[in-house]
């Protein structure tokens, strides 16, 4: 499809009209800025960059469960992911989250 523009006496230029028919598919791809600041009891642990298609920041919870941690909750606010736990478990969970962030 071409759109014609008249640029002065006797001049007509044709420009192709281009649009994105694949906008729904493009929205599902990861972008370079998909990352979360991760906290444990509001203490900053690190930044988790989501690299793989389908990867979610909530995957940290599954990892913690496989490490034997079950008594915690989490919340996402904007690009912040906060894990809330007892103060007794805080340092152990922080160490596990650091390992997860740096290895995955």
């Amino acid at each position: 499809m071409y759109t014609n523009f008249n640029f002065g006496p006797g001049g007509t230029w044709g420009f192709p009209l281009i649009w994105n028919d694949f906008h729904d598919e493009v929205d599902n791809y990861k972008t370079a800025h998909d990352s979360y600041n991760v906290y444990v009891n509001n203490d900053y642990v690190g930044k988790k960059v989501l690299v793989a298609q389908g990867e979610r920041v909530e995957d940290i919870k599954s990892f913690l469960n496989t490490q034997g941690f079950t008594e915690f909750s989490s919340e996402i606010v904007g690009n912040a992911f906060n894990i809330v736990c007892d103060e007794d478990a805080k340092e152990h969970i922080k160490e596990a989250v650091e390992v997860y962030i740096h290895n995955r």
Side-chain angles (χ1 to χ4, degrees):
M1 171 182 228
Y2 285 91
T3 303
N4 290 321
F5 295 97
N6 189 347
F7 289 99
T12 300
W13 295 8
F15 292 97
L17 184 60
I18 300 172
W19 65 90
N20 179 3
D21 267 344
F22 305 104
H23 64 279
D24 290 334
E25 293 176 24
V26 172
D27 291 342
N28 291 328
Y29 291 116
K30 293 286 174 208
T31 59
H33 65 276
D34 286 344
S35 64
Y36 290 86
N37 294 320
V38 180
Y39 301 85
V40 174
N41 289 0
N42 295 316
D43 287 349
Y44 180 76
V45 178
K47 181 174 291 244
K48 174 61 182 150
V49 178
L50 304 180
V51 179
Q53 182 77 18
E55 185 178 21
R56 304 172 327 149
V57 71
E58 293 92 349
D59 295 340
I60 295 173
K61 295 187 312 186
S62 298
F63 174 77
L64 290 174
N65 287 329
T66 62
Q67 299 299 308
F69 298 106
T70 57
E71 300 296 320
F72 66 90
S73 62
S74 63
E75 61 184 355
I76 299 174
V77 178
N79 72 335
F81 182 71
N82 189 38
I83 298 166
V84 180
C85 62
D86 290 336
E87 284 297 316
D88 296 337
K90 176 180 164 181
E91 291 304 317
H92 297 294
I93 289 179
K94 281 176 72 172
E95 289 173 8
V97 170
E98 285 175 356
V99 167
Y100 181 85
I101 289 172
H102 295 293
N103 289 336
R104 300 196 183 204

